[in-house]
Amino acid sequence: FLAMSSLWDTEDVSVWESALGKYEEVLATLAESKKVSDLVELDQWLHNEYSTQLLKKRVPVKKALTVEHVAQVMKWKLMRGTFRPLMGKVKSNPQQVCDEAWSAATEKWDCGVEATLALTLLSGIGPATASALAAPLREDIGFMCDEAIRACGLPLKYDLKTFRAVQAALNDRAKRLGKGWTANAVSKAVWAAAKARSETGEPPAKKPKL
């Protein structure tokens, strides 16, 4: 399977489609290896039901985002990636703060980056998790997972500068790949390529030069 660094270096759409097509298979393998049986179901919820609960005809529904939504997305993020002790902070958010963050995001909905960053009003939510919350809802936001950051040739940081750079790179690649590609589809393809390599026991791809 193509290494993440090799994937980012190619403009061949068929290669990218192949990587994205492996996403569910790689996810299932990861779930089995990490013994997190509900990861696959949670991923399906995130990329299907979640958006229908928060949007109506692609327009944000008032007060639709709940603390439970945020906790479930955080659970998915931690299962799919690296565990960090953030769930306590996330669950401590009052629903009122959730409403305020969602309201701030909807007010800036015309700009994907700014709408996403509004979600960092929530305790325990930085730019990376905010991108996980926003990516299933928008075509111009991709989940800022570690693999996406590395693929873009950036240092592994979770600050605003990195967030903006990653989103710009993911959107640029989606545009170049053409019809049907979104920033999050690019992120998923990159993640699948990286994880497929690590799950098969191959040495990790070298980090791009900075």
PDB file of all heavy atoms in Angstrom, residues 20-33:
ATOM      1  N   LEU A  20      -8.355   6.376  -0.506  1.00  0.00           N
ATOM      2  CA  LEU A  20      -9.613   6.694   0.161  1.00  0.00           C
ATOM      3  C   LEU A  20     -10.506   5.463   0.249  1.00  0.00           C
ATOM      4  O   LEU A  20     -11.201   5.245   1.249  1.00  0.00           O
ATOM      5  CB  LEU A  20     -10.338   7.817  -0.581  1.00  0.00           C
ATOM      6  CG  LEU A  20     -11.647   8.314   0.032  1.00  0.00           C
ATOM      7  CD1 LEU A  20     -11.429   8.819   1.458  1.00  0.00           C
ATOM      8  CD2 LEU A  20     -12.269   9.408  -0.830  1.00  0.00           C
ATOM      9  N   GLY A  21     -10.460   4.642  -0.798  1.00  0.00           N
ATOM     10  CA  GLY A  21     -11.269   3.421  -0.824  1.00  0.00           C
ATOM     11  C   GLY A  21     -10.870   2.407   0.234  1.00  0.00           C
ATOM     12  O   GLY A  21     -11.650   1.516   0.589  1.00  0.00           O
ATOM     13  N   LYS A  22      -9.658   2.546   0.754  1.00  0.00           N
ATOM     14  CA  LYS A  22      -9.167   1.639   1.791  1.00  0.00           C
ATOM     15  C   LYS A  22      -9.533   2.114   3.200  1.00  0.00           C
ATOM     16  O   LYS A  22      -9.262   1.409   4.182  1.00  0.00           O
ATOM     17  CB  LYS A  22      -7.634   1.529   1.695  1.00  0.00           C
ATOM     18  CG  LYS A  22      -7.111   0.805   0.477  1.00  0.00           C
ATOM     19  CD  LYS A  22      -7.227  -0.702   0.654  1.00  0.00           C
ATOM     20  CE  LYS A  22      -6.568  -1.446  -0.500  1.00  0.00           C
ATOM     21  NZ  LYS A  22      -6.681  -2.908  -0.323  1.00  0.00           N
ATOM     22  N   TYR A  23     -10.141   3.283   3.295  1.00  0.00           N
ATOM     23  CA  TYR A  23     -10.381   3.897   4.603  1.00  0.00           C
ATOM     24  C   TYR A  23     -11.122   2.967   5.567  1.00  0.00           C
ATOM     25  O   TYR A  23     -10.673   2.745   6.701  1.00  0.00           O
ATOM     26  CB  TYR A  23     -11.147   5.208   4.446  1.00  0.00           C
ATOM     27  CG  TYR A  23     -11.498   5.872   5.762  1.00  0.00           C
ATOM     28  CD1 TYR A  23     -10.560   6.665   6.427  1.00  0.00           C
ATOM     29  CD2 TYR A  23     -12.745   5.697   6.356  1.00  0.00           C
ATOM     30  CE1 TYR A  23     -10.858   7.260   7.651  1.00  0.00           C
ATOM     31  CE2 TYR A  23     -13.057   6.285   7.577  1.00  0.00           C
ATOM     32  CZ  TYR A  23     -12.109   7.058   8.214  1.00  0.00           C
ATOM     33  OH  TYR A  23     -12.413   7.635   9.423  1.00  0.00           O
ATOM     34  N   GLU A  24     -12.247   2.433   5.146  1.00  0.00           N
ATOM     35  CA  GLU A  24     -13.058   1.610   6.051  1.00  0.00           C
ATOM     36  C   GLU A  24     -12.341   0.324   6.436  1.00  0.00           C
ATOM     37  O   GLU A  24     -12.427  -0.131   7.585  1.00  0.00           O
ATOM     38  CB  GLU A  24     -14.408   1.309   5.410  1.00  0.00           C
ATOM     39  CG  GLU A  24     -15.289   2.543   5.278  1.00  0.00           C
ATOM     40  CD  GLU A  24     -16.657   2.235   4.721  1.00  0.00           C
ATOM     41  OE1 GLU A  24     -16.932   1.047   4.420  1.00  0.00           O
ATOM     42  OE2 GLU A  24     -17.460   3.165   4.580  1.00  0.00           O
ATOM     43  N   GLU A  25     -11.617  -0.260   5.497  1.00  0.00           N
ATOM     44  CA  GLU A  25     -10.864  -1.482   5.783  1.00  0.00           C
ATOM     45  C   GLU A  25      -9.765  -1.213   6.809  1.00  0.00           C
ATOM     46  O   GLU A  25      -9.578  -1.988   7.763  1.00  0.00           O
ATOM     47  CB  GLU A  25     -10.244  -2.014   4.484  1.00  0.00           C
ATOM     48  CG  GLU A  25      -9.396  -3.258   4.665  1.00  0.00           C
ATOM     49  CD  GLU A  25      -8.703  -3.671   3.379  1.00  0.00           C
ATOM     50  OE1 GLU A  25      -9.215  -3.342   2.283  1.00  0.00           O
ATOM     51  OE2 GLU A  25      -7.636  -4.311   3.467  1.00  0.00           O
ATOM     52  N   VAL A  26      -9.062  -0.111   6.618  1.00  0.00           N
ATOM     53  CA  VAL A  26      -7.988   0.256   7.547  1.00  0.00           C
ATOM     54  C   VAL A  26      -8.568   0.576   8.919  1.00  0.00           C
ATOM     55  O   VAL A  26      -8.009   0.195   9.954  1.00  0.00           O
ATOM     56  CB  VAL A  26      -7.191   1.461   7.007  1.00  0.00           C
ATOM     57  CG1 VAL A  26      -6.182   1.960   8.033  1.00  0.00           C
ATOM     58  CG2 VAL A  26      -6.475   1.082   5.708  1.00  0.00           C
ATOM     59  N   LEU A  27      -9.698   1.270   8.939  1.00  0.00           N
ATOM     60  CA  LEU A  27     -10.353   1.615  10.198  1.00  0.00           C
ATOM     61  C   LEU A  27     -10.738   0.352  10.971  1.00  0.00           C
ATOM     62  O   LEU A  27     -10.527   0.261  12.187  1.00  0.00           O
ATOM     63  CB  LEU A  27     -11.595   2.465   9.929  1.00  0.00           C
ATOM     64  CG  LEU A  27     -12.278   3.046  11.168  1.00  0.00           C
ATOM     65  CD1 LEU A  27     -11.500   4.260  11.677  1.00  0.00           C
ATOM     66  CD2 LEU A  27     -13.715   3.448  10.849  1.00  0.00           C
ATOM     67  N   ALA A  28     -11.295  -0.635  10.265  1.00  0.00           N
ATOM     68  CA  ALA A  28     -11.704  -1.884  10.905  1.00  0.00           C
ATOM     69  C   ALA A  28     -10.499  -2.636  11.468  1.00  0.00           C
ATOM     70  O   ALA A  28     -10.563  -3.206  12.566  1.00  0.00           O
ATOM     71  CB  ALA A  28     -12.451  -2.758   9.905  1.00  0.00           C
ATOM     72  N   THR A  29      -9.406  -2.628  10.724  1.00  0.00           N
ATOM     73  CA  THR A  29      -8.179  -3.280  11.186  1.00  0.00           C
ATOM     74  C   THR A  29      -7.643  -2.599  12.437  1.00  0.00           C
ATOM     75  O   THR A  29      -7.219  -3.252  13.393  1.00  0.00           O
ATOM     76  CB  THR A  29      -7.101  -3.249  10.079  1.00  0.00           C
ATOM     77  OG1 THR A  29      -7.591  -3.931   8.923  1.00  0.00           O
ATOM     78  CG2 THR A  29      -5.819  -3.919  10.546  1.00  0.00           C
ATOM     79  N   LEU A  30      -7.678  -1.265  12.430  1.00  0.00           N
ATOM     80  CA  LEU A  30      -7.216  -0.501  13.590  1.00  0.00           C
ATOM     81  C   LEU A  30      -8.095  -0.778  14.808  1.00  0.00           C
ATOM     82  O   LEU A  30      -7.593  -0.969  15.918  1.00  0.00           O
ATOM     83  CB  LEU A  30      -7.228   0.996  13.271  1.00  0.00           C
ATOM     84  CG  LEU A  30      -6.805   1.923  14.415  1.00  0.00           C
ATOM     85  CD1 LEU A  30      -5.321   1.753  14.723  1.00  0.00           C
ATOM     86  CD2 LEU A  30      -7.103   3.377  14.065  1.00  0.00           C
ATOM     87  N   ALA A  31      -9.405  -0.820  14.594  1.00  0.00           N
ATOM     88  CA  ALA A  31     -10.347  -1.079  15.684  1.00  0.00           C
ATOM     89  C   ALA A  31     -10.068  -2.434  16.316  1.00  0.00           C
ATOM     90  O   ALA A  31     -10.110  -2.596  17.540  1.00  0.00           O
ATOM     91  CB  ALA A  31     -11.776  -1.020  15.164  1.00  0.00           C
ATOM     92  N   GLU A  32      -9.771  -3.406  15.484  1.00  0.00           N
ATOM     93  CA  GLU A  32      -9.480  -4.750  15.984  1.00  0.00           C
ATOM     94  C   GLU A  32      -8.168  -4.776  16.762  1.00  0.00           C
ATOM     95  O   GLU A  32      -8.083  -5.360  17.843  1.00  0.00           O
ATOM     96  CB  GLU A  32      -9.418  -5.730  14.810  1.00  0.00           C
ATOM     97  CG  GLU A  32      -9.212  -7.171  15.240  1.00  0.00           C
ATOM     98  CD  GLU A  32      -9.236  -8.140  14.073  1.00  0.00           C
ATOM     99  OE1 GLU A  32      -9.520  -7.709  12.928  1.00  0.00           O
ATOM    100  OE2 GLU A  32      -8.964  -9.335  14.296  1.00  0.00           O
ATOM    101  N   SER A  33      -7.145  -4.109  16.212  1.00  0.00           N
ATOM    102  CA  SER A  33      -5.833  -4.127  16.861  1.00  0.00           C
ATOM    103  C   SER A  33      -5.827  -3.354  18.179  1.00  0.00           C
ATOM    104  O   SER A  33      -5.122  -3.714  19.123  1.00  0.00           O
ATOM    105  CB  SER A  33      -4.759  -3.569  15.924  1.00  0.00           C
ATOM    106  OG  SER A  33      -4.958  -2.182  15.694  1.00  0.00           O
TER     107      SER A  33
END
